[in-house]
Amino acid sequence: MSFDVSVFSNKNIILAVTGGIAAYKSAILVRRLKDYGFNVRVVMTQGAQAFITPLTFQALSGNSVHTELLDTAAEAGMGHIELARWADLILVAPASCNTIAKFANGLADDLLSTLFLATKAPVWLAPAMNQQMWAAKATQRNLQTLVEDGVHVIMPSSGSQACGDVGLGRMPEPEELAEQVQLYFHQTQRALAEKFGLLAGKRVVITAGPTREAIDPVRYISNHSTGKMGFALASACYTAGAKVILIAGPVSLDTPNGVQRKNVSSAVQMLEQSMQQLHEGCDVFIATAAVADYRVAQVAEHKIKKAGDELQVELLKNPDIVATIAQQPQRPFMVGFAAETQNVEQYAAGKLVAKKLDMIACNDVSRSDIGFASDENAMTVFFAEHYGLEKRDLEKASKQEIAQQLVEAIADALHHA
């Protein structure tokens, strides 16, 4: 059986495997989820490792397997909090009686129970245990608590069990579980498409934050951009069904759930990463980054020592990232941003034409109540003339709300393309 693996290529599944003989089915489940195109990372409890090895899941998923909460190597890469944010869904299969009890009582003494408390993603349980353990009042009480908390419990199948008993407690077949997952995301994507328009299934690349242009190993030229608007847009685009790649300058912000982040420092690095993403495929390019206009011509190899009252530094003009992307043969839908302190709308309209953009959003960063350091913003949106759309004034609101309105504007323009 073959599937269009691009459909769910922006969806991330954590498959958590707990102790039980049904753990062997989880290896097949990884393959079935991968067949649908999902990105899969596996978390294993100590009990699970008694039944099947992490190496098996590493080979099947193509990713390292997560087994320890306090793992120095893992924390240097994808730590447990980052892993919790990465997931679009956590599927625990098999879910042991012990794990269910931990979840219901809020314990966090291993990686999996900590992920359960730390994630905003939906959590699904596929219980697998002896039929008497399933029927126990304590187990049913724990399951009822989890259902009330919003956890989705997949009923076990009935039949012969490894212990020789017959009854409820068998983990459903991997093919059935994988199909339930893909149906859930199909329904979610349809709902998002109906609500937000054409971003469902689009690949969106966003630049955000400032760039840093080194003077020497300890000094640099930069600006006041915090990246908040770009990160809010990344989250809004992902919620609208897009696969989002966020190219971030040096900012102190958490990666939005489901978003793939690429960290850069300088304008040249941001352009290189933007071109790479363009070559990998890009439907919409949103340039919110406050890119430094100039860089230092000759970066000092060592720290420049203080000497005299003046320091002369020669500057070179940086590449214009959004204009460069807009000039490419396979150009995506181009969205620019204009942060100005005067004649805001006039400058923005000029940039729209000069840089051959499809849409531009402008704001007045001289206002103390909006802009770089604020959690709120207000913008005016202009569209290229051929879209036949009037300019839009987005009144002052949270950057999350402004981001949602910008997503709707992009979707409208794409609809008129």
Side-chain angles (χ1 to χ4, degrees):
M1 187 178 296
S2 62
F3 308 96
D4 179 2
V5 297
S6 67
V7 173
F8 300 119
S9 61
N10 65 337
K11 299 302 179 185
N12 303 325
I13 308 294
I14 289 179
L15 176 62
V17 185
T18 70
I21 188 61
Y24 80 90
K25 290 185 177 181
S26 301
I28 304 171
L29 179 54
V30 172
R31 289 293 299 270
R32 298 291 81 82
L33 291 171
K34 295 284 287 184
D35 286 343
Y36 281 114
F38 292 110
N39 303 314
V40 181
R41 290 185 177 273
V42 177
V43 169
M44 298 181 72
T45 64
Q46 286 189 342
Q49 294 173 67
F51 291 90
I52 191 167
T53 67
L55 184 60
T56 299
F57 287 109
Q58 179 177 318
L60 292 171
S61 69
N63 291 309
S64 298
V65 175
H66 305 269
T67 59
E68 299 293 338
L69 174 59
L70 303 177
D71 183 335
T72 304
E75 292 301 312
M78 179 170 279
H80 65 281
I81 298 298
E82 186 66 23
L83 188 61
R85 292 175 180 144
W86 177 85
D88 293 305
L89 182 136
I90 295 179
L91 171 60
V92 187
S96 68
C97 188
N98 183 58
T99 295
I100 291 169
K102 283 185 179 182
F103 286 2
N105 290 281
L107 299 181
D109 62 350
D110 64 2
L111 175 58
L112 177 54
S113 56
T114 302
L115 287 176
F116 174 73
L117 295 177
T119 191
K120 293 181 179 179
V123 178
W124 288 16
L125 303 181
M129 62 194 71
N130 168 267
Q131 57 89 22
Q132 188 57 49
M133 294 176 71
W134 168 259
K137 291 182 179 179
T139 301
Q140 292 303 310
R141 186 167 59 247
N142 289 334
L143 286 167
Q144 182 60 35
T145 296
L146 291 172
V147 169
E148 291 173 356
D149 288 345
V151 174
H152 176 57
V153 177
I154 301 168
M155 282 293 293
S157 303
S158 182
S160 300
Q161 300 182 320
C163 61
D165 287 355
V166 177
L168 283 172
R170 289 170 55 92
M171 177 175 142
E173 295 305 311
E175 292 77 10
E176 178 186 342
L177 290 175
E179 184 173 2
Q180 287 191 42
V181 172
Q182 69 91 13
L183 284 173
Y184 164 77
F185 281 106
H186 260 309
Q187 292 166 358
T188 302
Q189 285 193 342
R190 280 199 299 269
L192 287 170
E194 290 173 2
K195 184 175 182 180
F196 298 112
L198 299 179
L199 289 194
K202 299 293 184 182
R203 192 172 190 270
V204 178
V205 177
I206 301 175
T207 65
T211 62
R212 287 180 181 173
E213 309 303 329
I215 298 173
D216 62 20
V218 299
R219 300 181 180 91
Y220 56 82
I221 301 170
S222 191
N223 56 61
H224 295 295
S225 175
T226 63
K228 289 180 179 179
M229 191 68 247
F231 275 61
L233 259 171
S235 180
C237 288
Y238 176 74
T239 301
K243 179 175 182 178
V244 182
I245 295 86
L246 178 62
I247 304 173
V251 295
S252 300
L253 295 173
D254 294 329
T255 306
N257 183 50
V259 171
Q260 184 180 352
R261 181 174 179 173
K262 304 290 185 181
N263 290 322
V264 297
S265 181
S266 69
V268 171
Q269 291 171 350
M270 185 170 282
L271 175 60
E272 290 173 350
Q273 184 60 236
S274 297
M275 291 297 294
Q276 180 178 330
Q277 296 304 324
L278 180 65
H279 293 151
E280 293 180 12
C282 176
D283 299 301
V284 180
F285 188 92
I286 306 175
T288 72
V291 181
D293 292 324
Y294 295 90
R295 68 184 184 275
V296 176
Q298 186 64 45
V299 179
E301 183 177 355
H302 301 288
K303 178 182 176 181
I304 300 172
K305 298 300 181 181
K306 187 177 0 180
D309 295 330
E310 295 182 355
L311 173 64
Q312 292 189 353
V313 178
E314 183 183 356
L315 300 178
L316 297 177
K317 191 173 183 179
N318 266 326
D320 188 321
I321 295 174
V322 68
T324 302
I325 299 298
Q327 293 169 3
Q328 301 304 307
Q330 300 297 323
R331 70 187 297 277
F333 181 89
M334 297 296 303
V335 182
F337 275 68
E340 303 289 350
T341 59
Q342 59 181 341
N343 301 325
V344 177
E345 294 193 13
Q346 179 182 344
Y347 284 136
K351 286 183 179 179
L352 178 70
V353 175
K355 298 187 179 185
K356 299 181 180 179
L357 306 180
D358 297 285
M359 171 178 149
I360 193 166
C362 60
N363 65 332
D364 184 352
V365 293
S366 69
R367 288 175 54 179
S368 59
D369 60 331
I370 62 172
F372 284 146
S374 175
D375 290 327
E376 295 183 309
N377 214 340
M379 311 198 87
T380 301
V381 177
F382 295 90
F383 301 91
E385 187 175 352
H386 63 271
Y387 288 103
L389 296 171
E390 298 291 332
K391 78 169 186 176
R392 298 186 185 184
D393 291 315
L394 310 184
E395 299 298 328
K396 180 180 174 182
S398 71
K399 287 185 174 178
Q400 288 72 27
E401 293 176 81
I402 294 293
Q404 183 55 59
Q405 293 180 64
L406 288 171
V407 166
E408 292 170 0
I410 292 169
D412 284 348
L414 288 171
H415 180 71
H416 284 81

